[in-house]
Amino acid sequence: SNIDVLISKVQLAMSALLQCSYPPPVEVSQVVVERRKVPAKVLSAIYYGEICWILSEVTWVLLVPHVCLPAGALACAFIGSAAIITARVGGRDDVAQSFSLFFQFCWLLINLVWMLDEVLWDAPERSTPWNLTPIAAEKQDVRTTVEFLCAGAFCSLFVGFLCVILILCLCGNRRGIPSAKGMLIETGYLSTWALMDGLWAFGSTSWLALASALVTVVLIPFSSCAETDLGLRGLDRTDVVWVLWTVSNFLWIWTEQVADDSLNCRFLAAGVGVASLLVLLVSFNQMQVRNEAPTIGMCNDS
């Protein structure tokens, strides 16, 4: 009948109007991915920076200055460039990651100075078979001064991070600023690692440095679980890399502060570091997957 035809036309018109008024639904995870995805060149810079970083530390453990120094410099360059690019092209949701990369760069720079100080002027209690350090004549007073300054700088990074977290907590959930939770996820374990290095460099606080290393080992998987909101299912090989790397540093501290530069302990620390490096070399795909996976918001939206 004419009435049925009229009703049908009205329904079609209403349907068309609704389709014009409301865009098709978008999955929440897609929005999060789009906002949190790191540019490919930044991800590559981070990846190569971490490779150079671990290589630098492994060869530093083994006291091979001709490798650890250039590798450390390259790590600084890669991580520094990643921090600059992220800060320049990132949006408000990249603030936490930009801060994390800048924190890593500062930490690496201090680490490079400390490394240079040790391989130039410090003679180990037990030399390695290749006996490549010190490069220059041993200067205990200069080495001690530089080491003290590096220790203070490392600890300042940790204190500075705590101040940032405190400020964010005091600001509350203001729209458009990084959340304290996001900052803790991105940089929390890095801050305890910096504290570990600072306490280690002070020398007399080695047991606190070892404790900081253990705290870092716990924070690494915790941060990943919190970031992905998937619990233990959110862990992947990239987390294994950082855990092994931290364990290597724990053994390294033990070697220098407890085991009197035991070569067996030194080689064990280097071996764990090599294992970390090998896992990292086959983990770029995992880094890409983590980069593209949905994450919790790093910025306050309300």
Side-chain angles (χ1 to χ4, degrees), residues 49-194:
E50 290 184 0
I51 288 175
C52 292
W53 193 348
I54 298 178
L55 177 62
S56 172
E57 293 217 335
V58 168
T59 50
W60 185 5
V61 175
L62 295 174
L63 301 177
V64 184
H66 305 85
V67 179
C68 68
L69 289 174
L74 282 173
C76 283
F78 279 122
I79 298 298
S81 63
I84 293 171
I85 295 171
T86 304
R88 292 186 63 181
V89 305
R92 67 185 182 89
D93 297 291
D94 295 311
V95 173
Q97 186 169 50
S98 297
F99 179 86
S100 177
L101 289 170
F102 178 73
F103 188 97
Q104 288 183 55
F105 173 71
C106 293
W107 171 25
L108 270 171
L109 205 56
I110 301 166
N111 210 51
L112 185 62
V113 173
W114 186 19
M115 181 196 307
L116 183 62
D117 172 57
E118 284 211 344
V119 299
L120 275 178
W121 298 304
D122 184 34
E125 293 184 20
R126 298 184 186 181
S127 298
T128 57
W130 37 90
N131 194 24
L132 297 175
T133 57
I135 298 175
E138 186 175 357
K139 295 182 180 179
Q140 188 66 27
D141 54 341
V142 175
R143 188 194 68 81
T144 302
T145 301
V146 175
E147 192 171 55
F148 180 80
L149 293 174
C150 289
F154 280 128
C155 292
S156 296
L157 280 180
F158 177 76
V159 173
F161 175 71
L162 291 183
C163 291
V164 169
I165 294 300
L166 178 61
I167 291 171
L168 292 177
C169 289
L170 292 175
C171 288
N173 294 325
R174 294 186 182 179
R175 183 179 179 85
I177 66 171
S179 67
K181 182 178 180 180
M183 281 290 191
L184 284 170
I185 288 173
E186 290 280 354
T187 315
Y189 63 94
L190 297 174
S191 69
T192 56
W193 197 328

Side-chain angles (χ1 to χ4, degrees), residues 20 24 27 36 41 56 58 60 84 87 99 105-106 160 166 195 205 208 244 246 259 262 264 270 284 297 301:
C20 292
E27 295 292 334
R36 291 287 302 138
K41 57 185 176 182
S56 172
V58 168
W60 185 5
I84 293 171
F99 179 86
F105 173 71
C106 293
L166 178 61
L195 178 64
T205 53
L208 288 174
L244 287 174
T246 312
S262 165
N264 289 334
F284 186 67
D301 291 316

Side-chain angles (χ1 to χ4, degrees), residues 11 31 35 51 68 72 83 102 104 140 151 159 161 170 175 180 206 218 220 225 230 233 237 241 256 259 277 301:
Q11 289 177 339
V31 174
R35 287 166 54 187
I51 288 175
C68 68
F102 178 73
Q104 288 183 55
Q140 188 66 27
V159 173
F161 175 71
L170 292 175
R175 183 179 179 85
S206 57
V218 174
I220 290 167
C225 292
L230 294 174
R233 291 181 298 140
R237 284 204 295 265
V241 170
E256 293 194 347
L277 179 59
D301 291 316

Side-chain angles (χ1 to χ4, degrees), residues 230-249:
L230 294 174
L232 294 177
R233 291 181 298 140
L235 302 179
D236 58 30
R237 284 204 295 265
T238 59
D239 301 299
V240 175
V241 170
W242 279 86
V243 169
L244 287 174
W245 192 356
T246 312
V247 171
S248 173
N249 274 257

